[in-house]
Amino acid sequence: MVSRVPVFEGIGGGITKGKRSADIGLLAEANGSSGVVVNAPTKIRDIRIITSTIDIPLAWTVVSVHQNVKAALEAGVRIINIAGGKNTADMVSYFRSIYPELPIVATGGKTDESIKSVIDAGANSVIVTPPSSAELLKPRMNAYRMSSTTHKANDKR
């Protein structure tokens, strides 16, 4: 099946929190989302509010091995979303060793090597950083520039 809405939606955790995040999560669920994700600063008490409101899985973003993942899991988190920058693969490996069955999503970056490293470390799913608009359009813009140069030379004839 193909969803007309995002599979997972962000519902806050930084500026937006508590009941507001829970309400956004309930709205996401009602509109067909398969799960929701909250940012790293989300407090355990807010996780409890959210998980008591929604029935879909809650993913919690983890940016450090010092975050209390055990407490978050006890509060209802069902997936961790590891976003540790250059340390992501090491963090995935660390949490995978503690929680062998826990679903782990991880940021993989842009390169094949960084993506492979988080997969090899034990991530179940990888978020890939897409190329920027400038990177995607560069070949086309170069072709336009070449075409424009050719046209300019032909216009002088």
Side-chain angles (χ1 to χ4, degrees):
M1 291 177 53
V2 177
S3 177
R4 295 181 318 160
V5 295
V7 175
F8 268 72
E9 293 186 62
I11 61 168
I15 296 169
T16 306
K17 53 187 140 216
K19 184 172 177 337
R20 177 83 173 135
S21 288
D23 290 345
I24 295 168
L26 188 59
L27 183 61
E29 179 179 344
N31 282 283
S33 290
S34 298
V36 291
V37 62
V38 290
N39 296 326
T42 304
K43 305 277 189 244
I44 299 302
R45 71 178 179 339
D46 291 340
I47 290 171
R48 285 190 192 99
I49 293 168
I50 295 165
T51 58
S52 69
T53 304
I54 63 172
D55 291 324
I56 56 178
L58 174 65
W60 184 47
T61 303
V62 176
V63 296
S64 165
V65 295
H66 303 292
Q67 283 177 257
N68 194 344
V69 170
K70 182 175 188 259
L73 295 171
E74 289 169 356
V77 162
R78 294 182 26 206
I79 301 164
I80 60 172
N81 170 40
I82 299 177
K86 64 182 173 132
N87 301 318
T88 299
D90 290 338
M91 289 174 61
V92 169
S93 182
Y94 172 79
F95 286 112
R96 176 57 68 220
S97 70
I98 298 169
Y99 304 104
E101 301 300 318
L102 178 65
I104 296 176
V105 176
T107 54
K110 288 184 170 193
T111 68
D112 290 345
E113 296 79 25
S114 63
I115 294 164
K116 185 176 181 331
S117 71
V118 296
I119 293 169
D120 290 346
N124 300 96
S125 180
V126 180
I127 300 168
V128 177
T129 304
S132 68
S133 297
E135 291 168 312
L136 290 171
L137 292 174
K138 187 175 183 175
R140 180 168 287 181
M141 294 307 294
N142 285 339
Y144 290 164
R145 289 181 191 101
M146 292 302 295
S147 175
S148 178
T149 303
T150 304
H151 288 298
K152 191 172 185 179
N154 289 336
D155 288 346
K156 291 182 181 179
R157 291 187 192 160

